Amino acid sequence: YQEYKTLSGLNELEAKLKYTQLCRSLKTYGVTFFLVKEKMKGKNKLVARLLGVTKESVVRVDEKTKDFLNVYPLECVKKWAASPNTFTLDFGDHYKEPYYSMQTTEGEHIARLISGYIDIILKKVVYCFSLYNISFAHQPIQKKYLHSTTIRIIKRIHITFN
């Protein structure tokens, strides 16, 4: 009721702006979720999970409580692989567990989404490097091998592409 009282005097445009700001402040804003199953550690049992993909990360979410269990920045994703019934992320040396595998029939969709976000990140990297006349002639960029130093450079330059 208190929140309503603070918003009740707004005109339509102000109310829409407040609503949009509220939506964007939610932890799950911009996340595309997929229902997956993962093997429980030490057991031969599958448990349902939500796998979320954002423009910056991949998240593991508890299906029942909706708590975020892990957040993996996209710059830590070294490779990924989709098959008709599974999807696997390879984090290289970034985490204790280098792989995260799950059962899903939406592996190709997840792969396309991650690939698209990494393509956008790489385009930003190339653009940022071009501002400083840094050439990639001797360093071919491969979208499946995104290196974290390029992300750090983007963050240091403070360019916003939204």
Side-chain angles (χ1 to χ4, degrees), residues 123-139:
K123 286 177 185 174
K124 290 178 187 179
V125 169
V126 170
Y127 175 75
C128 291
F129 281 9
S130 72
L131 291 176
Y132 293 94
N133 294 322
I134 298 171
S135 173
F136 287 104
H138 303 294
Q139 263 184 304

Side-chain angles (χ1 to χ4, degrees), residues 95-109:
Y95 295 98
K96 188 173 84 172
E97 297 286 331
Y99 297 99
Y100 172 49
S101 292
M102 65 217 76
Q103 285 189 358
T104 180
T105 57
E106 297 183 280
E108 287 297 326
H109 190 181

Side-chain angles (χ1 to χ4, degrees), residues 63-81:
E63 188 218 4
K64 292 181 179 129
T65 66
K66 308 302 187 256
D67 291 335
F68 278 42
L69 303 172
N70 298 92
V71 178
Y72 305 106
L74 284 178
E75 62 259 24
C76 294
V77 176
K78 185 176 178 183
K79 295 185 271 184
W80 58 92

Side-chain angles (χ1 to χ4, degrees), residues 30-38 48-54 57-63 87 100 102-114 117:
V31 181
T32 303
F33 286 104
F34 300 92
L35 184 60
V36 300
K37 291 184 179 182
E38 62 183 46
R49 289 276 184 249
L50 292 173
L51 179 78
V53 180
T54 75
S57 61
V58 176
V59 295
R60 279 180 63 233
V61 179
D62 185 280
E63 188 218 4
F87 184 76
Y100 172 49
M102 65 217 76
Q103 285 189 358
T104 180
T105 57
E106 297 183 280
E108 287 297 326
H109 190 181
I110 297 168
R112 280 194 304 273
L113 194 56
I114 290 172
Y117 283 135

Side-chain angles (χ1 to χ4, degrees), residues 128 132 148-159:
C128 291
Y132 293 94
S148 61
T149 53
T150 56
I151 301 304
R152 282 191 222 109
I153 289 169
I154 288 177
K155 289 177 181 174
R156 269 191 229 124
I157 295 174
H158 299 293
I159 295 178

